[in-house]
Amino acid sequence: MERVNPPELGKPSGYSHAVAVDPARTGRIVFLAGQTALNQQNKIVGDGVVEQFENALSNLLAALRAAGGEPEDLVSVTIYIVDMDDYKAHAREIGAVWRKLVGTEYPAMAGIGVSRLWDVEALVEVQGFAAVPIERG
C-alpha cells in the first residue's frame, strides 16, 4: 500500500490524498459497512462526538479484524458528521482517538456533513474499505 501525497496539493493532516494498492499483493478487499456508536444491545452510547467517534471507529475496526484485517489495511474511510462545527471543535481529541486506535498512517478520507443518521442519537458514522495483504487474507 502506498500513500500518495503530491507536493502540488496542500499537505494533508489526518488523511492521505490517495492510497494506491498493488493488486498482486492484495489478497482481499474488505468493504466495511457504516458503523455508529452502537453497543451490543443496539443502543447508541457516548454523550459527545469524541466518545461516539471512538465507539464507531472501534466498531469499524472490530468488523475489519473479524474479516482478517488490521487498522493499517484501511485504504479509504468516510466519516458522516451530524454537527460539523462540533466535530471540528473537537478535531484534536478525535485525532488522538484515531492515533490511539489506528496509528499515524492515514487512509484516503472524507468528512461529510449530514442532517441526521439512521439512529437519531448518532452523531457520527464511519464507513470504509481495506486491502488485506495476501499473507493475512
Side-chain angles (χ1 to χ4, degrees), residues 113-134:
V114 296
S115 60
R116 69 158 282 189
L117 297 166
W118 184 264
D119 292 301
V120 71
E121 306 88 1
L123 302 175
V124 294
E125 183 168 337
V126 183
Q127 176 185 20
F129 69 91
V132 179
I134 290 172

Side-chain angles (χ1 to χ4, degrees), residues 2-137:
E2 176 189 5
R3 284 153 179 68
V4 181
N5 294 301
E8 63 270 20
L9 297 178
K11 184 178 183 213
S13 177
Y15 66 96
S16 291
H17 285 293
V19 177
V21 178
D22 180 354
R25 296 192 51 194
T26 302
R28 187 175 202 185
I29 301 295
V30 179
F31 294 87
L32 298 158
Q35 298 292 326
T36 59
L38 285 175
N39 65 12
Q40 287 183 323
Q41 292 73 40
N42 287 323
K43 303 288 184 205
I44 296 291
V45 293
D47 294 328
V49 68
V50 176
E51 189 176 354
Q52 283 200 21
F53 176 79
E54 183 166 2
N55 291 330
L57 183 58
S58 294
N59 289 345
L60 185 88
L61 295 175
L64 175 57
R65 285 187 175 104
E70 293 295 332
E72 63 267 18
D73 300 330
L74 288 168
V75 173
S76 180
V77 171
T78 302
I79 305 166
Y80 300 93
I81 304 157
V82 173
D83 183 341
M84 190 65 75
D85 290 335
D86 185 39
Y87 186 92
K88 288 176 78 173
H90 292 92
R92 287 189 190 277
E93 297 159 274
I94 289 167
V97 168
W98 179 273
R99 290 186 297 279
K100 177 176 84 171
L101 296 178
V102 180
T104 58
E105 296 293 330
Y106 294 95
M109 295 181 74
I112 300 172
V114 296
S115 60
R116 69 158 282 189
L117 297 166
W118 184 264
D119 292 301
V120 71
E121 306 88 1
L123 302 175
V124 294
E125 183 168 337
V126 183
Q127 176 185 20
F129 69 91
V132 179
I134 290 172
E135 59 270 11
R136 278 193 274 119

